[in-house]
Amino acid sequence: MGGSRSIIAGLVASLLASSLVPVGEVAAARKPEKTRPKQPQPSTTCEAPKFRIVVDVGHTPDSYGALSARNDPEFGFNFRLARLIAAKLKSGGFAATRLLVTDGKARPSLFKRVGAANDGRADLFLSVHHDSVPDKLLEAWEFDGAKSYFSDRFSGHSLFVSERNPHFTTSLKLARMIGRQLKEQGLRYASQYSLPVMGRYRRQLLDKDVGVYRYDGLVVLSQTRSAAVLLEAGSIINRDEEMEMNSAERQEQIAGAVAAAVGEFCERR
Ligand SMILES: [Zn+2]
């Protein structure tokens, strides 16, 4: 695991250094609000080669999100899957797809993401994450000689949209398409978000067939000017599912489902 982690760190360092993903500069380079020209609205039609999709890698190398049952940071899981999703979209004709990798601390990184998407006039924003559970549900075990934490109680993917997003209906439509594609792959969604045990993480279930939840306050969903969806691809705190999320087969399956859903979304626009 340590090996793959350092490979990821190297890849991320080179990506952040390259001009392909200049997100580190976004906040500093932004013009003051008053002098900024009016932003064109995201397009209402979809021409695949020109359709600007931002695939956002959740969290940063410094603020890596959840820790898996085997002590691997969520950021690495997000990076591998988001990169694959972006590659599949590009090879499927969405040539203007961008992988968004952000550095720095958690909270400022959220606004860097929104700034990068809005300044780049994204038509679609998709944030890729992997799930954990509230701390009170964690159980201790030993992995690799170290005290570690897990919860095998819940598993599955989930999708989130914000009603505060200016394109809420469109976001919900895309989230449902992604959910349906994942369901067709035989994957089950995480149903616990509507349960009281989730406490402050409890969410309203908008689509009980394919697992779309409402998460209004999330910065990357509510502040982006384009339609926006957040995908929790699976639980890495669940010991079995962590292994599955690490497999090339599962990553291919999820990335394929997302790309197929975006293709369908574009065709119907
Ligand atoms: Zn996350």
Side-chain angles (χ1 to χ4, degrees), residues 58-59 65-66 74 78 128-130 232:
H59 307 282
E74 182 195 338
N78 297 343
V128 177
H129 288 253
H130 286 72
E232 293 279 2

Side-chain angles (χ1 to χ4, degrees), residues 127-144:
S127 192
V128 177
H129 288 253
H130 286 72
D131 218 354
S132 185
V133 293
D135 288 351
K136 64 178 178 187
L137 299 178
L138 293 174
E139 297 169 59
W141 72 315
E142 195 181 295
F143 176 73
D144 224 2

Side-chain angles (χ1 to χ4, degrees), residues 1 4 8 11 72-89 126 128-130 182 185 187 231 233-234 236 241-260:
M1 293 290 176
S4 80
I8 296 273
L11 276 169
D72 251 356
E74 182 195 338
F75 177 80
F77 287 88
N78 297 343
F79 179 72
R80 287 184 288 264
L81 183 61
R83 191 177 50 169
L84 190 60
I85 291 171
K88 283 212 184 293
L89 286 168
L126 175 69
V128 177
H129 288 253
H130 286 72
L182 291 168
Q185 291 292 316
L187 298 169
L231 168 68
I236 53 171
E241 194 158 76
E242 178 190 6
M243 300 300 278
E244 286 162 22
M245 299 315 292
N246 260 323
S247 74
E249 292 78 9
R250 178 64 71 90
Q251 289 162 15
E252 282 287 329
Q253 197 178 24
I254 295 174
V258 171

Side-chain angles (χ1 to χ4, degrees), residues 110-181:
L110 298 179
F111 296 97
K112 282 186 194 175
R113 287 164 219 272
V114 169
N118 290 346
D119 291 352
R121 293 183 292 118
D123 293 305
L124 204 64
F125 185 88
L126 175 69
S127 192
V128 177
H129 288 253
H130 286 72
D131 218 354
S132 185
V133 293
D135 288 351
K136 64 178 178 187
L137 299 178
L138 293 174
E139 297 169 59
W141 72 315
E142 195 181 295
F143 176 73
D144 224 2
K147 191 179 183 189
S148 309
Y149 295 91
F150 76 97
S151 172
D152 294 338
R153 190 164 159 189
F154 303 119
S155 63
H157 59 271
S158 43
L159 291 146
F160 297 87
V161 290
S162 170
E163 232 173 66
R164 288 188 208 155
N165 179 285
H167 303 277
F168 166 68
T169 311
T170 309
S171 305
L172 178 59
K173 198 164 118 186
L174 174 66
R176 281 186 161 138
M177 286 175 178
I178 296 173
R180 205 170 307 125
Q181 288 287 343

